[in-house]
Amino acid sequence: MITQQTTLTRHPATAQLLAQVRALEDTVAQLEEEKAGCQYQIEQYYRLLRGRVGDLLTELLAVQLQLARQRAGQTGRRSDAEAARGWQERLDSTNRVIQDAIAHQPVDLAETAQPELKRLYRQAVTLAHPDRHTADPDRMAQATAFMMQLNDAYQRQDFPTVRRLVQDLTDGRLFLVQDDTTYSIDTLRQWLQRLTDRQQALQAEIAQLTAESAYQYMTNGTDLTAHFTQLHTALTQQLAQLQR
């Protein structure tokens, strides 16, 4: 591998640009991990929600759909027919989400494994992020597919799968990670700009995720048992009103 001194001799700006890219890559990897952690908390809340009140939600939507269909049949108005289709879509979507939650229960990961899981995730993001490979469409497609698998496993706290994916990546079984010395100055500048854009986008996405009520419930010390009990009572009352 060419040393940094040789790189500086050939291209005075390359070493500086590469150092900036590496530093920003680390920042972006940390933000990706933070975003995935926020998404995990939100998904945990909705899994709990579906487990506690999923049946009530489904029944409530089914009654809303029945009432909307009756109204559409009585009035014949297009707006009422569209409203009925909207309730059907919400019912179908809720059923799909509940089934998905049942099929993809998160792993109860020990706290001692959390630091290693985060380290492996950041390592993989740094090596395989699609922004690294925009000059090679095939490699970029492979990196995009890899990141989808990695993010899914990380959000489910699936430590064995994350570890296997990282091992496959470092062993070159997925695709070869491009050597630093193959990047031109123009490529590094474009890469740095993409990383800057990605950093800003991630910061905005994290701000939006942490503002969601589901995230707040999971992280601000809310008594979730009492919360879901109150929600169950409110939904039961609402359902009784609709049925009457």
Side-chain angles (χ1 to χ4, degrees):
M1 182 175 178
I2 300 175
T3 63
Q4 189 179 62
Q5 183 177 3
T6 305
T7 304
L8 282 168
T9 302
R10 292 184 175 180
H11 301 290
T14 300
Q16 182 180 1
L17 279 170
L18 192 55
Q20 291 175 328
V21 164
R22 289 289 171 259
L24 197 50
E25 270 192 326
D26 289 341
T27 300
V28 167
Q30 292 175 20
L31 289 171
E32 293 276 11
E33 184 270 322
E34 184 178 351
K35 176 188 171 184
C38 291
Q39 291 173 324
Y40 172 75
Q41 292 291 344
I42 291 170
E43 289 176 3
Q44 279 285 77
Y45 173 82
Y46 284 113
R47 285 189 181 98
L48 290 171
L49 177 71
R50 291 156 200 153
R52 302 290 181 85
V53 298
D55 291 341
L56 264 177
L57 282 173
T58 301
E59 190 175 356
L60 188 62
L61 289 171
V63 173
Q64 293 279 23
L65 173 60
Q66 182 181 3
L67 291 174
R69 284 176 171 172
Q70 289 176 355
R71 189 178 303 112
Q74 291 168 356
T75 66
R77 288 196 296 261
R78 178 182 298 178
S79 59
D80 288 334
E82 290 175 353
R85 284 195 293 271
W87 284 112
Q88 180 68 66
E89 290 172 0
R90 290 178 64 180
L91 177 60
D92 292 343
S93 175
T94 299
N95 283 328
R96 286 196 300 270
V97 167
I98 290 172
Q99 292 304 315
D100 182 68
I102 293 171
H104 297 89
Q105 290 294 329
V107 178
D108 187 13
L109 188 66
E111 289 187 9
T112 54
Q114 286 285 350
E116 179 64 8
L117 177 67
K118 292 181 178 181
R119 185 192 70 79
L120 289 171
Y121 179 81
R122 291 180 185 178
Q123 177 187 355
V125 170
T126 300
L127 291 174
H129 200 280
D131 284 347
R132 266 182 168 249
H133 311 290
T134 53
D136 186 334
D138 290 339
R139 192 189 298 267
M140 187 175 181
Q142 291 174 324
T144 300
F146 172 82
M147 286 301 301
M148 289 178 64
Q149 294 180 63
L150 179 70
N151 285 331
D152 177 68
Y154 183 80
Q155 289 171 20
R156 289 185 288 106
Q157 303 286 281
D158 188 348
F159 188 36
T161 299
V162 171
R163 183 167 51 191
R164 175 181 58 77
L165 287 170
V166 174
Q167 191 63 52
D168 288 346
L169 177 67
T170 55
D171 289 348
R173 287 193 289 269
L174 296 175
F175 60 93
L176 294 177
V177 177
Q178 196 166 349
D179 188 85
D180 291 343
T181 60
T182 63
Y183 296 111
S184 68
I185 291 178
D186 287 341
T187 298
L188 288 173
R189 285 173 178 161
Q190 293 170 10
W191 187 1
L192 187 63
Q193 184 59 55
R194 288 194 301 271
L195 286 170
T196 301
D197 294 341
R198 182 60 181 158
Q199 179 188 23
Q200 294 172 351
L202 282 168
Q203 289 169 337
E205 290 168 4
I206 289 169
Q208 185 175 6
L209 289 170
T210 55
E212 288 194 22
S213 57
Y215 180 85
Q216 296 294 323
Y217 286 134
M218 294 297 293
T219 59
N220 66 1
T222 298
D223 183 341
L224 292 175
T225 299
H227 167 70
F228 285 119
T229 299
Q230 292 172 358
L231 186 58
H232 189 281
T233 300
L235 288 172
T236 301
Q237 292 173 348
Q238 187 178 357
L239 179 60
Q241 283 183 327
L242 287 173
Q243 288 173 334
R244 286 197 297 269

